[in-house]
Amino acid sequence: MLSRIQFLCQLGVKIILTPFCKILIMFKQVESKLAGYLKSVGLQFHPFDKLEASVDPRLNSYLIGHEAAEEAWKSKDCSLVGESGSGRTAIAEGLLYNCRVGSDTTEIFPILLRQNDRASGQLPERSAAIEALLQLAYQPGKFEVLSDKDRTDLVGSIESAAPGILDYFLPKILREGSHLPIVKFADPPAETLPNYPDQSRARKVAKQMQRLSQPEKLIGRSSPSILDIIPGIFGLKEIKLIADFSAAPDQKQLAELDGLRDRLSQRSSVSKVILAPAKPESGGQETILINWYSDQLINVLRSRMRTASGGDFDSFDAISDPGLMNTEEQIFEQTADRGHRTPRAVVSLAKTLLELQAQSGDKQLINSETFQEAVKKEFA
């Protein structure tokens, strides 16, 4: 699309698209300059590109551990409380990763609930259906071991909980032979799950599910709720409810979560993790605070640099002149002095610094002047 618009612009087409052409061309130039700079300093990708964890496909490759995440993983009923940018969603993604990674006999099934999606009364069922399809594409063995009846029930319950999902995603899974089509839609950070499935097995399972999801197979058939059958079908020892809220949940929301937990606990052990910026109004759940120390936030930056450089270096110091040393420490100090001690704060300043150096057109090392300019721009 961009090349066509550029061509029209070059022909001198003076229409309403002209301002749009200029913006797109300018954006492409900026993007090209950034890519060139990153390559010139030995970075395979932009390590600070994404500020929102839920849309970062590389998140799990550089996600660092945190004691709050470890406590939440072990807890049966807890609230993880942290301010905006404190890594709540990143921790939720880490919990999802831990649930999914393993052999075909993984026994913990996550159901992710996001506050923004609560308009749908079928949210828990839909979330479970999406997760089930993702896991079946990622670990085909989970479907291969099922009886014909369980296969039919599972396919029917997925379609019932999320109408159209199989018709849309199964052809894509067939083409790619992996879980990536649904991952890109439902949970981009899962792109870095290890041990991709054998493509032939993934395609075979997708074909079998496609046959079972044909309208003539489903018409007149009453499918059980996916919430009622996944514990038995997947042989679960636990279901982990992960509720990510952008505001503290109220009494009604807490009651809905407790009702869901009680329903699921009739067939499986259930643990519940609430992530919110403030402590819920009531409830007996354990409260875990997300606090970050300087060394942890410095490690957030170093982990991203290490991954983006392919392990060659882990600090801005490797691409800075001798006058700018301990760059990660300086980034932390600049954000902390302004009351921001969160991963998002340090990543955002690092992003500004890297992009400012790239757009300067100067391939030399980052210096103190550029750092001060980045600080000024970030906190203007």
Side-chain angles (χ1 to χ4, degrees):
M1 175 182 176
L2 183 59
S3 60
R4 291 181 181 179
I5 293 176
Q6 285 177 309
F7 178 67
L8 289 173
C9 291
Q10 290 167 359
L11 287 177
V13 180
K14 306 298 183 182
I15 55 176
I16 195 170
L17 280 179
T18 300
F20 183 54
C21 291
K22 291 179 180 179
I23 293 172
L24 286 178
I25 293 171
M26 186 181 302
F27 178 77
K28 185 176 181 181
Q29 290 171 340
V30 169
E31 199 175 50
S32 176
K33 190 177 288 187
L34 176 59
Y37 169 73
L38 294 175
K39 184 177 180 181
S40 74
V41 297
L43 293 172
Q44 299 168 12
F45 60 88
H46 190 337
F48 310 110
D49 183 39
K50 306 294 185 186
L51 298 180
E52 173 53 49
S54 65
V55 298
D56 187 352
R58 294 187 174 94
L59 177 71
N60 287 309
S61 65
Y62 44 65
L63 187 64
I64 69 167
H66 192 282
E67 58 271 16
E70 295 170 5
E71 291 179 48
W73 178 255
K74 297 174 184 176
S75 177
K76 297 297 291 182
D77 189 2
C78 69
S79 294
L80 230 61
V81 178
E83 63 182 295
S84 177
S86 63
R88 296 193 313 270
T89 298
I91 289 175
E93 291 295 342
L95 295 174
L96 289 171
Y97 183 90
N98 288 344
C99 291
R100 293 165 178 159
V101 170
S103 67
D104 285 351
T105 56
T106 300
E107 297 175 330
I108 302 178
F109 187 92
I111 298 179
L112 176 64
L113 309 172
R114 294 198 192 279
Q115 185 179 29
N116 293 341
D117 298 331
R118 292 188 68 260
S120 170
Q122 290 293 101
L123 173 62
E125 287 82 358
R126 180 176 174 79
S127 297
I130 291 172
E131 181 64 29
L133 182 56
L134 188 159
Q135 291 201 18
L136 292 173
Y138 176 52
Q139 299 175 322
K142 288 189 172 185
F143 190 83
E144 293 169 342
V145 300
L146 297 180
S147 67
D148 289 345
K149 180 182 183 304
D150 283 345
R151 290 182 180 186
T152 301
D153 284 346
L154 182 56
V155 169
S157 68
I158 290 174
E159 179 61 27
S160 177
I165 190 174
L166 296 177
D167 187 49
Y168 182 78
F169 281 110
L170 288 179
K172 297 178 183 297
I173 294 171
L174 271 169
R175 282 197 298 272
E176 294 198 25
S178 81
H179 57 298
L180 288 182
I182 190 156
V183 161
K184 291 174 182 177
F185 161 78
D187 189 29
E191 283 193 35
T192 52
L193 286 170
N195 305 319
Y196 275 30
D198 177 80
Q199 289 184 315
S200 62
R201 290 177 68 192
R203 290 190 174 107
K204 182 178 179 181
V205 165
K207 285 182 181 178
Q208 292 171 333
M209 293 182 70
Q210 223 173 20
R211 285 196 293 271
L212 291 172
S213 65
Q214 294 301 312
E216 60 270 19
K217 298 282 188 179
L218 298 177
I219 291 176
R221 180 182 176 85
S222 177
S223 298
S225 167
I226 192 165
L227 298 178
D228 295 331
I229 66 170
I230 51 173
I233 282 182
F234 285 160
L236 302 178
K237 71 174 184 181
E238 183 180 329
I239 293 175
K240 189 172 288 291
L241 287 177
I242 304 171
D244 191 5
F245 289 91
S246 59
D250 58 28
Q251 297 273 10
K252 180 181 179 182
Q253 292 168 325
L254 290 172
E256 289 174 350
L257 279 175
D258 287 341
L260 177 59
R261 180 194 58 191
D262 292 345
R263 175 182 176 181
L264 293 170
S265 63
Q266 295 176 19
R267 294 173 173 81
S268 173
S269 173
V270 180
S271 61
K272 183 183 70 177
V273 179
I274 295 174
L275 301 105
K279 186 177 179 179
E281 294 179 4
S282 63
Q285 65 270 4
E286 174 187 8
T287 299
I288 302 171
L289 301 179
I290 306 173
N291 293 313
W292 291 87
Y293 300 102
S294 59
D295 61 307
Q296 293 173 313
L297 292 173
I298 289 168
N299 196 24
V300 166
L301 301 178
R302 288 185 177 276
S303 179
R304 288 171 177 253
M305 290 291 270
R306 187 183 306 115
T307 304
S309 69
D312 290 343
F313 56 88
D314 67 354
S315 173
F316 272 99
D317 291 357
I319 55 175
S320 302
D321 72 24
L324 181 63
M325 298 296 291
N326 302 317
T327 315
E328 287 74 29
E329 286 84 347
Q330 292 195 51
I331 289 174
F332 166 75
E333 289 170 2
Q334 291 292 338
T335 57
D337 286 349
R338 292 166 173 81
H340 308 302
R341 302 173 66 99
T342 66
R344 184 177 296 167
V346 296
V347 168
S348 181
L349 178 51
K351 174 183 171 72
T352 299
L353 175 60
L354 203 61
E355 293 177 356
L356 195 61
Q357 177 67 14
Q359 297 315 313
S360 71
D362 184 358
K363 299 301 182 184
Q364 296 179 358
L365 302 176
I366 303 172
N367 57 34
S368 297
E369 289 74 18
T370 305
F371 182 84
Q372 292 303 323
E373 189 179 347
V375 171
K376 183 178 180 180
K377 182 178 180 180
E378 180 74 4
F379 299 110

